[in-house]
Amino acid sequence: MTTTETTQATETSGDELDRTLQSAAFAAAAWGASTPRERARALTAVADALDAEKDGLVSAAERETGLPEGRLFGELARTSVQLRMFADLLDEGAHQRIAIDHADPDFAPVARPDLRRMLVPVGPVLVFAASNFPFAFSVAGGDTASALAAGCPVVLKAHPGHPETSLLTARIVRSALEGAGVDNGVFAMIAGVDAGVRALKDPKITAAAFTGSVSAGRYLFDIATSRPDPIPFYGELGSINPAFATREALQERPEEIAKGFVDSFTLGAGQFCTKPGLLLIPEGTDTAQRIAALVPQVQPQRLLTTKIADSYRLRLEDLAATPGVEVLTEGRFDAAADGVPAAGATLLRVHARDLPAQASTLLEESFGPTATVVEYSSQEELRQVLALLPGSLTVTVHTSAQPGESENGDVRLLLASARTKVGRIVFNGWPTGVSVTAAQQHGGPYPATTSVAHTSVGGAAIERFLRPLAYQGAPDHLLPPELQEENPLGLPRTVNPAGRFKEGGNAGRA
Amino acid sequence: MTTTETTQATETSGDELDRTLQSAAFAAAAWGASTPRERARALTAVADALDAEKDGLVSAAERETGLPEGRLFGELARTSVQLRMFADLLDEGAHQRIAIDHADPDFAPVARPDLRRMLVPVGPVLVFAASNFPFAFSVAGGDTASALAAGCPVVLKAHPGHPETSLLTARIVRSALEGAGVDNGVFAMIAGVDAGVRALKDPKITAAAFTGSVSAGRYLFDIATSRPDPIPFYGELGSINPAFATREALQERPEEIAKGFVDSFTLGAGQFCTKPGLLLIPEGTDTAQRIAALVPQVQPQRLLTTKIADSYRLRLEDLAATPGVEVLTEGRFDAAADGVPAAGATLLRVHARDLPAQASTLLEESFGPTATVVEYSSQEELRQVLALLPGSLTVTVHTSAQPGESENGDVRLLLASARTKVGRIVFNGWPTGVSVTAAQQHGGPYPATTSVAHTSVGGAAIERFLRPLAYQGAPDHLLPPELQEENPLGLPRTVNPAGRFKEGGNAGRA
């Protein structure tokens, strides 16, 4: 198979798909058995190659997505930084979470054998690229980086919103991997809905990752879980990301909060997974007016695709026609130079008492530059709204530096609710802008994601593509190097941990 | 709600179920926010109470399951040891995997906020008890222990195979928890298929665990994943656990291997999840005859329930009627004192060349004291059989102390296959007898389990019931104690890890 055959942006044929999946399955054993340092070198080679080609990549993405150049250079920098982060994580080697229990004939109540456990790659991973981050959540994005880091071959289903950018990126990835001596089957790109669905049903695919809409994500999740052999499907679907400001905070920083909210919900034309779609505030402040005054200053921004623009327009019509909803500022639609619509920002308002009857419409994500201010008149109303909120990636809370009793009550309610409904709680900031660090969590209960225990951003994203494997009583020469007694790879390992697990401890077997 | 209302072995009514689920949901916040040490004390109280009542528990289980007294005392000891193991794990506190990244304005390419991540409980867990371990995988078994340890309330669906044992255990658990000051909603037992299915569909249940058959497990998995809000379903379904011995190993230890295999596949009347159902060996040895000679010495053992006995009998008829299958020893069926059938062991043989055409029958788990010897004549035949093997909990391999070239080839093939198909590879031993330690892995690809990344035995079992939550830029007084700067609970935490994640490092955000 040549590079050009498998890195294409046009519909992948059945035969091509079969060859691609076969190559991925074939490559899985060697790539999975490569050492963490070998994979680190390969990821670094990909990062270097992306950096070297940044001008060409950004100009292709600019043409196809209409996103501004500065944003695209920043996103590409994040993309190569992510690859380097996983390279560093592999060099540290803690991701395999190696645990070794030596044999212990005196172990109570029953003697225990030598047991050695580590995480190993799950096998070939299918990644569905997203539309809204043509680099960071696309061909060489976080899903691809973490799956490759785990030791899994990646079959990447390109997003039709930026085919040339995808093709260019895929060629760079393949060429860099080839230069690092990595088998061709370790990375391939396919295109077309049919090819994506067929790949998802194929037994050679052992896990999948996706970022996109609730409808597409649920459709694919259902396919993954109804296979004869169900596989994990890590989907990031839709998130309303409620924000909340106390009366005291609004008194202290009225303009700062209003401006921060507008900047955040209109960033990237409101097409961020973490866009705050809702602002929950006590009634009787001038916050809504302040925000409404700022919104028209945001220039119309080109949406990612005509399809997204069409959906967004329909969605706005639905929202405006919803009983109780007041349109405070209506953004105008322009046509961008290339014919894809640009949208100004739209601000809506609804009273908390009118929300429950319209929850299914109002609490759904709107992909575009709009947000709704929800004003409540009592803690009981706040409680009712919180109970209705669906799972989200984030919740944001603006508090006072000198909180009073009433603020504390509202904040306690909100935090208790957030603990069950989101993956990240942001204080006195905004949820857009997801820092790529060890302590990051980008996930949340359904429909924010299909797997609440995982993240798609940060070092822990690698965990999605690993599974445990234990060796019992193995002769040293039959162990993989990670588990050999002499620790030839010098990896961090937990050997005979203290406490109940310690040698001669009290744990048992039956 | 009183103890007697919710710890019953008869069918749970709709109203009772609603109250039970409501109580569990209500209890989730406080139990989830309790400190690891508080939960450790509660688990220890349950373990102490089970130990104190062991005579009554074992005699109830003996009456209901027909399992021998010695085995039941051992299993109960393992059950309380498991609870204590999780108590120790909570005392150590590493299970929350706390990571703290301090804010860093100089972080490249973009300043990073203060981020603090920890694992938190998922919420109320529904546990389906198993038939084959009336203590260790039942009311107070590993699923219950790990979910409680995680901070999740447990709704336990009793197995109908041992209702009195279940009732007695549930009362002991509730009374011990009550004595430890734990809310009544943290543990409840329900009974009946309808109640179990209704609970699984209820939005208040956030995860489920199950050990049982492929058909029941898949039925429940499909319900969990097709909910409007799908939840994780940790099912342990069916596993054939292939064992393998090289020609050299069979020459060195013919009798030891034959006897070990018989002991393992007939242990507990062959009703263990890890029963080796298949022995793969090169043709031209007398191994099958040796095993066949030992099998009749195993006395018929009472099966767990009449239903299991009926299914087992039908399964044996199917196997015996399968083309290419030779019945080497046919176990007889007796009626035990209480009318539940007892079964002698049955040994089958098939040649590897006849297996592919009958794979769907022969490679399915048989729940009862039977196993099949598969003899192959070439490495190519071995490779074909390995390719057909479904996911299993374990694979077992017997090797020579002085392996020759031919053995090495076969073993390499086998280990490469095992790395993709099982959770534990056992060398020169047998898979039954699952040691409860840190390095244990009791899981595997479908149909062994529905979630290949998890284990239901050992310390890591707690991971099934935890999910990450991150706090960004939080005022210290609004953080949970686990994440407060002063670390008031004294938990192990990773703060500003070195490498790419370190302060002033090169990671970024976009």
Side-chain angles (χ1 to χ4, degrees):
Chain A
M1 177 178 347
T2 68
T3 298
T4 41
E5 271 181 345
T6 53
T7 56
Q8 57 179 13
T10 54
E11 190 81 23
T12 305
S13 74
D15 283 354
E16 285 164 336
L17 180 65
D18 288 345
R19 283 199 302 272
T20 299
L21 295 173
Q22 202 67 56
S23 297
F26 181 80
W31 184 240
S34 63
T35 68
R37 287 197 177 83
E38 284 163 353
R39 293 200 296 282
R41 277 197 295 274
L43 293 180
T44 303
V46 174
D48 289 345
L50 292 173
D51 286 347
E53 304 278 350
K54 64 183 173 187
D55 293 337
L57 284 164
V58 165
S59 91
E62 209 182 345
R63 274 195 308 277
E64 290 187 312
T65 66
L67 292 170
E69 187 188 84
R71 140 79 196 268
L72 288 170
F73 273 113
E75 186 188 327
L76 186 57
R78 165 179 163 175
T79 306
S80 66
V81 156
Q82 280 182 167
L83 287 154
R84 295 181 203 283
M85 175 195 76
F86 284 111
D88 281 5
L89 186 145
L90 291 171
D91 279 338
E92 288 160 16
H95 66 286
Q96 288 184 279
R97 302 179 68 194
I98 301 170
I100 296 179
D101 297 329
H102 286 132
D104 182 0
D106 301 325
F107 204 62
V110 184
R112 83 174 183 197
D114 182 277
L115 271 165
R116 293 160 191 254
R117 184 187 204 257
M118 65 174 179
L119 302 188
V120 297
V122 292
V125 170
L126 177 64
V127 174
F128 290 86
S131 64
N132 59 343
F133 281 83
F135 299 123
F137 283 87
S138 191
V139 179
D143 291 338
T144 297
S146 52
L148 290 177
C152 301
V154 169
V155 176
L156 186 292
K157 192 264 174 195
H159 194 281
H162 46 273
E164 289 305 316
T165 311
S166 300
L167 189 57
L168 189 52
T169 312
R171 285 186 177 146
I172 292 168
V173 171
R174 280 179 72 96
S175 148
L177 289 176
E178 202 179 323
V182 175
D183 185 282
N184 239 346
V186 168
F187 177 85
M189 190 169 91
I190 61 172
V193 172
D194 287 354
V197 167
R198 277 198 51 204
L200 187 58
K201 291 179 175 171
D202 194 289
K204 291 186 280 299
I205 292 295
T206 56
F210 166 92
T211 304
S213 70
V214 174
S215 58
R218 184 61 193 251
Y219 173 74
L220 296 172
F221 172 83
D222 289 344
I223 290 173
T225 53
S226 60
R227 285 169 39 137
D229 57 330
I231 55 169
F233 182 87
Y234 300 105
E236 189 196 312
L237 276 46
S239 179
I240 192 150
N241 303 302
F244 172 90
T246 65
R247 186 179 304 278
E248 292 85 341
L250 291 169
Q251 278 158 359
E252 281 172 18
R253 318 186 291 280
E255 201 55 28
E256 181 190 323
I257 292 172
K259 181 163 187 328
F261 182 60
V262 173
D263 288 349
S264 186
F265 90 75
T266 63
L267 189 69
Q271 299 164 121
F272 273 31
C273 325
T274 51
K275 181 197 85 170
L278 216 64
L279 180 65
L280 256 172
I281 53 174
E283 66 177 6
T285 78
D286 61 358
T287 308
Q289 287 73 22
R290 280 182 190 271
I291 297 170
L294 292 169
V295 164
Q297 298 171 23
V298 181
Q299 291 308 304
Q301 298 168 81
R302 178 188 182 278
L303 297 171
L304 287 163
T305 66
T306 302
K307 193 177 157 203
I308 285 171
D310 291 344
S311 300
Y312 176 59
R313 213 190 282 260
L314 287 173
R315 172 77 179 136
L316 282 183
E317 285 170 16
D318 277 357
L319 286 168
T322 301
V325 171
E326 183 187 355
V327 179
L328 294 185
T329 322
E330 192 176 350
R332 75 169 190 279
F333 280 85
D334 290 343
D338 59 358
V340 180
T346 293
L347 185 71
L348 309 171
R349 175 161 68 175
V350 68
H351 197 280
R353 82 175 76 86
D354 296 326
L355 192 139
Q358 310 298 336
S360 64
T361 304
L362 293 175
L363 298 180
E364 197 184 279
E365 181 188 46
S366 305
F367 201 66
T370 185
T372 304
V373 176
V374 179
E375 294 178 321
Y376 63 90
S377 55
S378 67
Q379 237 179 47
E380 187 45 38
E381 272 183 7
L382 173 61
R383 196 190 305 270
Q384 278 169 14
V385 172
L386 294 177
L388 290 170
L389 291 176
S392 271
L393 295 169
T394 67
V395 73
T396 295
V397 48
H398 283 266
T399 58
S400 158
Q402 276 88 36
E405 200 40 58
S406 142
E407 159 156 335
N408 282 336
D410 287 4
V411 170
R412 263 196 303 272
L413 264 186
L414 187 84
L415 292 183
S417 160
R419 261 181 87 107
T420 69
K421 298 207 168 179
V422 307
R424 178 165 58 113
I425 308 177
V426 179
F427 292 79
N428 301 317
W430 298 99
T432 43
V434 182
S435 189
V436 180
T437 75
Q440 185 55 271
Q441 173 58 20
H442 190 68
Y446 192 89
T449 75
T450 56
S451 184
V452 70
H454 295 90
T455 180
S456 62
V457 176
I462 197 173
E463 294 172 15
R464 297 174 296 170
F465 307 116
L466 293 168
R467 71 176 188 91
L469 177 63
Y471 287 74
Q472 177 175 325
D476 206 64
H477 72 279
L478 292 178
L479 284 169
E482 290 93 333
L483 300 181
Q484 288 171 10
E485 191 61 19
E486 293 300 320
N487 195 8
L489 302 181
L491 296 169
R493 316 198 295 190
T494 304
V495 182
N496 302 322
R500 188 71 52 180
F501 297 121
K502 78 172 186 292
E503 286 182 285
N506 196 24
R509 66 175 197 173
Chain B
M1 177 178 347
T2 68
T3 299
T4 43
E5 271 182 344
T6 52
T7 57
Q8 56 179 14
T10 55
E11 189 81 23
T12 304
S13 75
D15 283 354
E16 286 164 336
L17 180 65
D18 288 344
R19 283 200 300 274
T20 299
L21 294 174
Q22 203 67 56
S23 298
F26 182 80
W31 183 241
S34 63
T35 68
R37 288 198 175 82
E38 285 162 353
R39 293 200 297 282
R41 279 196 294 275
L43 292 180
T44 304
V46 174
D48 289 346
L50 292 173
D51 286 347
E53 304 280 351
K54 64 183 174 189
D55 292 339
L57 284 164
V58 165
S59 91
E62 209 181 345
R63 275 195 308 278
E64 291 187 313
T65 65
L67 292 170
E69 187 188 83
R71 138 79 195 268
L72 288 169
F73 274 113
E75 187 188 327
L76 186 56
R78 165 180 163 172
T79 306
S80 66
V81 155
Q82 281 181 167
L83 287 154
R84 295 181 203 283
M85 175 194 75
F86 284 110
D88 282 5
L89 186 144
L90 291 172
D91 280 338
E92 289 161 17
H95 66 287
Q96 288 184 279
R97 301 179 68 195
I98 300 171
I100 296 180
D101 297 328
H102 286 132
D104 181 0
D106 301 324
F107 204 63
V110 184
R112 83 177 185 195
D114 183 278
L115 272 166
R116 293 158 190 257
R117 184 187 203 256
M118 65 173 179
L119 301 188
V120 298
V122 291
V125 171
L126 176 64
V127 174
F128 291 86
S131 64
N132 59 343
F133 282 83
F135 298 123
F137 284 86
S138 191
V139 178
D143 291 337
T144 297
S146 51
L148 290 177
C152 301
V154 169
V155 176
L156 187 291
K157 192 266 174 191
H159 194 280
H162 47 271
E164 289 306 317
T165 310
S166 300
L167 190 56
L168 189 51
T169 312
R171 285 184 177 145
I172 292 167
V173 172
R174 279 179 72 97
S175 148
L177 289 176
E178 201 179 323
V182 175
D183 185 281
N184 240 347
V186 169
F187 177 86
M189 190 169 90
I190 61 172
V193 172
D194 287 353
V197 167
R198 276 199 50 203
L200 187 57
K201 290 179 177 172
D202 194 287
K204 291 186 278 298
I205 291 296
T206 56
F210 167 91
T211 304
S213 69
V214 174
S215 58
R218 183 63 194 248
Y219 173 73
L220 296 172
F221 171 82
D222 288 344
I223 290 173
T225 53
S226 59
R227 286 169 39 138
D229 57 331
I231 56 169
F233 182 87
Y234 300 105
E236 188 195 312
L237 275 47
S239 181
I240 192 151
N241 303 303
F244 171 89
T246 65
R247 187 179 302 279
E248 292 85 339
L250 291 169
Q251 278 160 359
E252 280 172 19
R253 317 187 293 279
E255 200 57 26
E256 183 190 321
I257 292 172
K259 182 162 186 329
F261 181 60
V262 173
D263 287 352
S264 186
F265 90 76
T266 64
L267 188 70
Q271 299 164 120
F272 273 32
C273 326
T274 51
K275 182 196 86 169
L278 215 65
L279 181 65
L280 256 172
I281 53 173
E283 68 179 3
T285 78
D286 62 356
T287 308
Q289 288 74 23
R290 281 182 190 272
I291 297 170
L294 292 169
V295 164
Q297 298 171 22
V298 181
Q299 290 307 305
Q301 298 168 81
R302 178 187 182 279
L303 296 171
L304 286 163
T305 67
T306 302
K307 193 176 156 205
I308 285 171
D310 290 345
S311 299
Y312 176 59
R313 214 189 281 260
L314 287 174
R315 172 78 179 135
L316 282 183
E317 286 169 16
D318 277 357
L319 286 169
T322 300
V325 170
E326 183 187 356
V327 179
L328 294 184
T329 323
E330 191 174 352
R332 74 169 190 279
F333 280 86
D334 290 345
D338 59 359
V340 179
T346 293
L347 186 70
L348 309 171
R349 175 161 67 176
V350 68
H351 197 280
R353 81 176 75 88
D354 296 326
L355 192 139
Q358 310 298 333
S360 64
T361 305
L362 293 175
L363 298 181
E364 197 183 280
E365 182 186 46
S366 304
F367 202 65
T370 186
T372 304
V373 176
V374 179
E375 294 177 323
Y376 63 90
S377 55
S378 67
Q379 237 180 44
E380 187 43 39
E381 271 183 11
L382 172 62
R383 194 190 305 268
Q384 277 168 15
V385 173
L386 294 177
L388 291 169
L389 290 176
S392 271
L393 296 169
T394 68
V395 72
T396 295
V397 47
H398 283 267
T399 58
S400 159
Q402 276 87 36
E405 200 40 58
S406 141
E407 159 156 334
N408 281 336
D410 287 5
V411 169
R412 262 196 303 271
L413 264 187
L414 186 85
L415 292 183
S417 160
R419 259 180 89 107
T420 69
K421 298 207 168 179
V422 307
R424 179 165 56 113
I425 308 177
V426 179
F427 292 80
N428 302 316
W430 298 99
T432 45
V434 181
S435 189
V436 180
T437 75
Q440 186 54 272
Q441 173 57 19
H442 191 66
Y446 192 88
T449 76
T450 57
S451 184
V452 70
H454 295 88
T455 180
S456 63
V457 176
I462 196 173
E463 294 172 16
R464 296 174 298 169
F465 307 117
L466 294 167
R467 71 175 187 94
L469 178 62
Y471 288 73
Q472 177 176 323
D476 207 64
H477 72 280
L478 292 178
L479 284 169
E482 291 92 332
L483 299 182
Q484 287 170 10
E485 191 60 19
E486 293 300 320
N487 196 8
L489 303 181
L491 296 169
R493 315 198 294 190
T494 303
V495 182
N496 302 323
R500 189 72 51 178
F501 297 121
K502 77 171 186 295
E503 287 181 282
N506 195 23
R509 66 174 195 174

